[in-house]
Every structure is written in structure tokens, then in C-alpha cells.
Amino acid sequence: MSSNQTLRLLMPQWQGGNHHAYPLCARLLEWLAPKGNSPTVEVPVKPCEAPSPLRENGIVEQNALLAQLQECEKNYTTP
């Protein structure tokens, strides 16, 4: 991907905010926003399954959030 292209990034996270409905909200926003000519890429997000998600340094599922961001940086940035 060249440096002047736009990438629509769908990252339906619930971590950090700790609310199971956040992934749905991300998908609704993706549906509402005009598509244009930009490709859309969805970043895999660990589903909310645990009855009590892990809180790390005051952030819900901090390690999962960091892993998702690193995945984006690794796969979707230009040199």
C-alpha cells in the first residue's frame, strides 16, 4: 500500500471500556460511514468471554489491547 492511500480499519474492541456491546457499535459505525474507494481491513479482536475480564494496570485487558495495536502496526503501516 502506498503512503498516500487511505485504509479503513475496523477494530471492534470491547477491551479498555469493558463493555460487551462495543464491537457492535464499531460495526454500526463502519456501516454508517461512507465507503468511498478505500479498502477496509478488520483487525481480529479477542471476544468478550470471561465473566470477569482481567484488569492490568487499571486497564481492562491491557495486554490484548497492546497486541491488537502491534498487529495493526506490523501489518498495516508503510515503511
Side-chain angles (χ1 to χ4, degrees), residues 24-41:
L24 173 61
C25 297
R27 292 188 188 288
L28 286 173
L29 287 172
E30 191 258 341
W31 175 75
L32 283 171
K35 297 273 188 257
N37 296 325
S38 304
T40 300
V41 174

Side-chain angles (χ1 to χ4, degrees), residues 5-79:
Q5 287 184 321
T6 300
L7 177 66
R8 291 170 53 101
L9 193 62
L10 175 58
M11 219 165 159
Q13 295 176 324
W14 60 270
Q15 301 94 335
N18 192 23
H19 197 286
H20 68 278
Y22 284 179
L24 173 61
C25 297
R27 292 188 188 288
L28 286 173
L29 287 172
E30 191 258 341
W31 175 75
L32 283 171
K35 297 273 188 257
N37 296 325
S38 304
T40 300
V41 174
E42 182 171 350
V43 177
V45 173
K46 180 180 122 184
C48 180
E49 296 172 343
S52 180
L54 182 61
R55 184 173 294 272
E56 304 155 306
N57 299 317
I59 300 171
V60 175
E61 296 287 337
Q62 180 184 28
N63 286 334
L65 285 169
L66 293 173
Q68 292 160 18
L69 291 173
Q70 290 167 351
E71 179 76 13
C72 287
E73 185 177 37
K74 179 178 79 173
N75 293 314
Y76 309 116
T77 57
T78 56

